[in-house]
Amino acid sequence: MARPFRAIFRRSNRVRVVTAEATAIDPAGCSVTTSDGATYRARILVLAAGAVPNFFNTPGAEEFAHPLYSVIDAVSLGSNLTSLLDHADKETAGEVNIVVIGGGPTGVETAGAIAENVKFVRPSYFSSGLAARCHVYLVDMVPTVQNAFSEKSQSYARKRLVKVGVRLQLGVGDTEVSADAVTLADGTVLPCRIVVWAGGLEAGAVLACSGLAHGRGGRIDVQPELTARDFEGVYVLGDAANMTDTTGAHLPQLGSVAQQSGKWAARNIHADLTGGKREPFRYFDKGYMAMIGSGAAVAEIERKRVQLQGPLAFAAWLGVHATLLSGGRQRIGAPISWIEDFVSPERSQVIVGPPE
């Protein structure tokens, strides 16, 4: 799914890709300073730095929980999950618990995928009794999953999660994460070997010290044309920005929002450089989707929120996410891989580095 920046821009002699950590932003001077001491200045500054996990000051969460918002996060979680099962397979008794914190799309998709993996895929790789000892918990302080969806979609998601073996702990938040347990607000302690954090996002530290106006989640509040307030030459996009639609409603942190805002900002930047007029961002709402497992998903399409559940929603999820990928190889290769995983229980098991 991933594609290197240099591959994207390899045919453009006007683009230079620099790999460095941005440590300071000067919106007034349209400049960025990196950790190696270099400073880059331009007429237009675009901030699309994404976001980082928001642990909400939960003790132990940042230290012991696995976030799941990048390729590195995914590889780390996969390696540690396989390593955990390797060790648990040598045991003859004892529960092997995995806790996923967060009942939104990321948490639901992750909990469903891990539960299906343990229940249907792993038994052919490990001892027959291991799967019965493995349990996946989904924890959220909200009393339902997929809170942004309709009640019908929420009900389907709950039933599907329970069907694949996910144990729901809803309506009670987590208060502490340790190396071997998650403590809930009602005093319940869930012993576990792995904790996955899908509890939310916030803007990174470099934006916090930028001098730009912040809103919810530490993200930058932008004007309808996607520029930062009081800084005409600064655009902020994607998960780094609080964007609104033409009605003033806040837009969610979704891939389609980031992609569309990037294309729209490009047109406005072209207008800046050629003496044209900027246009307010108009978002085409494709709706909300969440995959719950193989052949199972919920989807509420476009503004009318046409509701789909089951295989049809699953196919729609695959199609939409394939179009969000960058590059022909990725758009072809990823769906082929998804289809192979859907029809076959065979998986490659690669551990990258020592388990954390």
Side-chain angles (χ1 to χ4, degrees):
M1 294 173 63
R3 189 183 181 201
F5 286 121
R6 288 187 174 86
I8 297 173
F9 298 112
R10 71 187 187 282
R11 295 179 180 174
S12 177
N13 57 11
R14 297 189 178 188
V15 176
R16 180 188 176 203
V17 176
V18 177
T19 302
E21 180 186 1
T23 55
I25 296 169
D26 178 13
C30 279
S31 68
V32 175
T33 300
T34 57
S35 56
D36 56 7
T39 299
Y40 301 87
R41 291 183 175 85
R43 178 176 170 182
I44 303 292
L45 174 62
V46 180
L47 303 177
V52 296
N54 187 351
F55 295 105
F56 299 100
N57 298 317
T58 304
E62 186 171 2
E63 182 179 0
F64 296 111
H66 288 267
L68 192 55
Y69 299 106
S70 70
V71 173
I72 294 175
D73 293 339
V75 171
S76 174
L77 176 59
S79 296
N80 279 271
L81 180 59
T82 299
S83 179
L84 167 64
L85 296 177
D86 279 335
H87 287 288
D89 194 41
K90 301 172 186 177
E91 304 169 357
T92 58
E95 292 188 344
V96 183
N97 295 334
I98 301 160
V99 175
V100 179
I101 298 176
T106 301
V108 167
E109 291 177 352
T110 304
I114 294 177
E116 279 198 344
N117 190 292
V118 169
K119 188 173 183 179
F120 300 117
V121 177
R122 298 298 174 174
S124 61
Y125 291 93
F126 297 96
S127 59
S128 58
L130 178 59
R133 295 191 287 118
C134 295
H135 307 291
V136 179
Y137 290 84
L138 181 62
V139 175
D140 199 303
M141 64 184 301
V142 178
T144 184
V145 295
Q146 306 285 41
N147 194 43
F149 288 74
S150 67
E151 291 185 6
K152 182 178 179 181
S153 296
Q154 293 174 10
S155 176
Y156 176 87
R158 288 178 63 112
K159 291 177 181 178
R160 179 68 188 188
L161 288 170
V162 172
K163 184 177 180 180
V164 297
V166 177
R167 299 183 176 185
L168 302 178
Q169 295 280 342
L170 304 175
V172 56
D174 56 285
T175 58
E176 184 178 0
V177 177
S178 66
D180 56 4
V182 171
T183 302
L184 305 184
D186 62 0
T188 301
V189 177
L190 299 177
C192 59
R193 310 281 186 95
I194 286 182
V195 179
V196 182
W197 188 270
L201 296 170
E202 64 180 352
V206 69
L207 293 180
C209 303
S210 64
L212 297 170
H214 293 76
R216 61 178 185 174
R219 295 180 289 271
I220 307 302
D221 290 330
V222 297
Q223 300 184 98
E225 297 83 8
L226 302 177
T227 56
R229 296 174 183 173
D230 303 322
F231 297 96
E232 286 297 310
V234 179
Y235 286 80
V236 190
L237 313 175
D239 285 350
N242 284 320
M243 293 177 281
T244 58
D245 61 16
T246 53
T247 67
H250 283 277
L251 297 174
Q253 275 62 58
L254 296 175
S256 59
V257 176
Q259 187 182 65
Q260 291 183 43
S261 67
K263 293 180 179 180
W264 199 279
R267 289 193 289 268
N268 279 345
I269 290 171
H270 185 267
D272 291 341
L273 300 178
T274 59
K277 182 181 179 181
R278 295 174 183 165
E279 295 291 337
F281 178 43
R282 292 193 298 272
Y283 173 60
F284 174 66
D285 189 355
K286 298 179 181 179
Y288 296 95
M289 295 181 176
M291 180 179 68
I292 308 168
S294 295
V298 292
E300 298 182 4
I301 310 297
E302 299 183 353
R303 288 186 179 275
K304 294 182 179 180
R305 294 292 183 260
V306 178
Q307 297 186 29
L308 302 174
Q309 290 90 29
L312 190 58
F314 181 73
W317 186 97
L318 294 178
V320 168
H321 283 75
T323 62
L324 289 174
L325 299 179
S326 172
R329 181 186 296 271
Q330 284 72 22
R331 290 172 181 167
I332 296 173
I336 291 175
S337 174
W338 295 339
I339 292 172
E340 289 176 345
D341 287 347
F342 179 68
V343 300
S344 171
E346 185 175 350
R347 301 289 188 276
S348 60
Q349 298 185 57
V350 179
I351 297 179
V352 182
E356 297 177 3

